[in-house]
Amino acid sequence: MEHQILYTPLAYEKAENIRVLFDRHEKELEEYISRLLWWNKKINLVSRDVSRETIKDHVEHSLVLTQSELFEKTAKVIDSGTGGGLPGMPLAICYREKQIHLNDVVTKKVMACRNIASALSLKNISTSSCSIEKVGFAGDELLVSKHAFKIGDLLRMLESKPWGNIILLKGGDEIESELEKAKEPLKVNIIDLMPGFDEEFYKGKAMVEISRISQS
Ligand SMILES: C[S@@+](CC[C@H](N)C(=O)[O-])C[C@H]1O[C@@H](n2cnc3c(N)ncnc32)[C@H](O)[C@@H]1O
């Protein structure tokens, strides 16, 4: 399959924008982290014995999506494979005007997300506990996901849907081989996060913007 693939490094200024955004919403983001840690002890949302510092890295990593034009121009976001609300919950905290739908196939994870959203008074969050295959799409949503799907598997599950744009946060190495399974030509922008952030946490991590060539 002939995809249009572009490679871009994340600019240092964009990493700086994310730090500024984090600082601006620090109180609510720290409150989210506290509640996520509390729920993580009861049900496995992230990984067992994860530290507050590591969760903070995951929250900052989630905010990388805000530096994409695809995110800027959309009012409705679906976060599939959200687990404990990453990346959707930090996005909902920082962008109250955007509608964020959290989806996960595991009911108890979605229940924890609903509880956290309600405790934080996040009126812009809706949820569904089912596979992404069962979620209805109008065509104007941005689908986002962090470390939940292989690209080919996700596209197969979206096959019958009018999806518009997708942004995935995932390992940079696997992307080209995963794209081989796509059944239509795609426009793909692979943004390496390491040049912007120099922390070890970002090594090998990428933000992948995917659009249909027929719609671009
Ligand atoms: C590795 S976890 C990542 C969780 C979160 N995005 C994060 O970064 O912490 C992958 C999540 O995808 C969910 N998942 C797997 N297949 C799914 C599907 N078909 N539809 C919706 N969620 C799915 C799993 O239940 C799990 O919570």
Side-chain angles (χ1 to χ4, degrees), residues 15-45:
E16 199 46 39
N17 292 345
I18 293 158
R19 292 192 191 98
V20 170
L21 186 65
F22 190 103
D23 289 348
R24 197 179 305 141
H25 296 276
E26 188 174 11
K27 191 164 164 276
E28 302 104 305
L29 291 170
E30 291 287 358
E31 178 67 22
Y32 163 59
I33 294 169
S34 298
R35 290 181 184 272
L36 182 55
L37 282 165
W38 187 88
W39 275 103
N40 198 46
K41 285 202 189 112
K42 315 225 164 294
I43 52 176
N44 205 6
L45 287 172

Side-chain angles (χ1 to χ4, degrees), residues 6 16 19 24 33 39 49 55 66 68 83 88 104 119-120 124 146 148-149 169 203 215-216:
L6 200 74
E16 199 46 39
R19 292 192 191 98
R24 197 179 305 141
I33 294 169
W39 275 103
D49 302 323
I55 302 263
T66 65
S68 165
D104 201 286
L120 297 179
N124 54 336
K146 176 163 108 51
F149 299 101
L169 293 170
K203 196 169 176 203
Q215 286 180 0
S216 60

Side-chain angles (χ1 to χ4, degrees), residues 41-181:
K41 285 202 189 112
K42 315 225 164 294
I43 52 176
N44 205 6
L45 287 172
V46 196
S47 50
R48 292 246 174 260
D49 302 323
V50 70
S51 70
R52 188 173 189 99
E53 270 318 297
T54 302
I55 302 263
K56 214 167 158 173
D57 286 339
H58 283 283
V59 169
E60 185 189 74
H61 184 202
S62 299
L63 295 178
V64 168
L65 294 169
T66 65
Q67 300 305 300
S68 165
E69 271 180 34
L70 297 178
F71 177 81
E72 269 176 45
K73 71 180 189 190
T74 196
K76 287 197 273 174
V77 177
I78 298 175
D79 169 17
S80 186
T82 191
L86 295 165
M89 200 83 76
L91 297 176
I93 289 170
C94 298
Y95 292 83
R96 302 281 176 130
E97 73 286 6
K98 293 191 195 279
Q99 294 304 311
I100 314 280
H101 184 79
L102 305 181
N103 161 257
D104 201 286
V105 74
V106 178
T107 306
K108 63 184 179 181
K109 294 186 181 183
V110 176
M111 185 267 296
C113 286
R114 268 210 306 275
N115 184 289
I116 297 172
S118 156
L120 297 179
S121 304
L122 292 171
K123 306 262 186 295
N124 54 336
I125 282 189
S126 58
T127 60
S128 60
S129 51
C130 57
S131 172
I132 186 62
E133 286 162 287
K134 303 248 167 70
V135 174
F137 278 63
D140 58 347
E141 307 89 349
L142 170 68
L143 177 66
V144 301
S145 190
K146 176 163 108 51
H147 293 287
F149 299 101
K150 289 195 185 301
I151 298 172
D153 295 344
L154 179 61
L155 293 173
R156 183 183 43 74
M157 289 192 266
L158 299 177
E159 223 160 49
S160 62
K161 300 182 190 298
W163 65 269
N165 297 307
I166 301 175
I167 318 180
L168 304 176
L169 293 170
K170 61 190 286 104
D173 290 352
E174 320 126 26
I175 298 163
E176 288 206 24
S177 63
E178 291 183 18
L179 280 168
E180 280 168 19
K181 293 207 177 130

Side-chain angles (χ1 to χ4, degrees), residues 10-11 81 121 201:
L10 185 82
S121 304
F201 177 81

